[in-house]
Amino acid sequence: MSQPFASRPLVIAPSILASDFAKLGEEVRAVDQAGADWIHLDPMDGHFVPNITFGPDAIKAMRPHSKKIFDAHLMIAPCDPYLEAFAKAGCDQITVHAEAGPHLHRSLQAIRTLGKKAGVSINPATPVSAIEHIIDVVDIVLVMSINPGFGGQSFIPSALEKISQVRAMCAGRPIDIEVDGGVTAANAAEIAAAGANALVAGSAVFKGGTMDSYKTNISAIRNAAASARGEAI
Ligand code: DX5
Ligand code: ZN
């Protein structure tokens, strides 16, 4: 059976949020070697979301530990004053929230002007129609399947319908469809079948706390998603 949703490569993106912050560089190296495609980074400001994590300086310190794509998911508002700092810190792609400011189109253009891939993220309460008019200036659509701020929450099932809607909106465009929150080996197949090609996972990757467990955890998510896409494992 042909799988129209499999047009973009499958990506597993471990979220550093679930790693041991006392050894960030080591953790980045570990998930890199364990098979991560992208390294997902979650700056939070205690304002847009009710938690505070890390900013550009911490990302700059992690950068030498991997050559993989640094995928920054900014949960900060305003975001515009900090885009250049995240770009200079070594982020390859920068995703901003549709809810984070009144000038989303401008923010996305600014990211592209910095030479980086531009992503837009939508919270669980935000309809897919919110990104209809900026779809031509994005490289990534990130569908949140939890309320952002914390790892370890359960996947909100209505995200699946939103992923399908985003897939229809993105048809024919070179856009990665990313899903973030509560992703596990148990739901990776239905997420991939709905049309997401980039799966972010924090707790499901870092559980176990060792390189071997990261390898097993990443493979389990990858294999579940790959078979749903009709790809050989
Ligand atoms: C939460 C972050 C996620 C988080 C996901 O706001 O955007 O990237 O790390 O964690 P899990 O996979 O544990 O839900
Ligand atoms: Zn994230």
Side-chain angles (χ1 to χ4, degrees), residues 134-177:
I134 51 86
I135 203 72
D136 285 326
V137 290
V138 299
D139 304 293
I140 303 150
V141 174
L142 171 50
V143 176
M144 286 308 296
S145 42
I146 54 164
N147 287 295
F150 302 94
Q153 303 179 67
S154 300
F155 186 87
I156 298 171
S158 58
L160 292 172
E161 170 63 21
K162 291 173 75 178
I163 293 165
S164 305
Q165 290 173 10
V166 171
R167 178 179 66 183
M169 189 183 281
C170 293
R173 294 179 163 97
I175 295 175
D176 286 304
I177 303 176

Side-chain angles (χ1 to χ4, degrees), residues 15 40 42 73 75 142 144 180 200:
S15 165
H40 185 82
D42 290 299
H73 168 203
M75 284 158 278
L142 171 50
M144 286 308 296
D180 184 5
V200 175

Side-chain angles (χ1 to χ4, degrees), residues 11-16 36-40 71 178 198-202 205:
V11 165
I12 309 298
S15 165
I16 290 303
D37 299 294
W38 298 350
I39 308 294
H40 185 82
D71 175 49
E178 190 172 14
L199 277 58
V200 175
V205 165

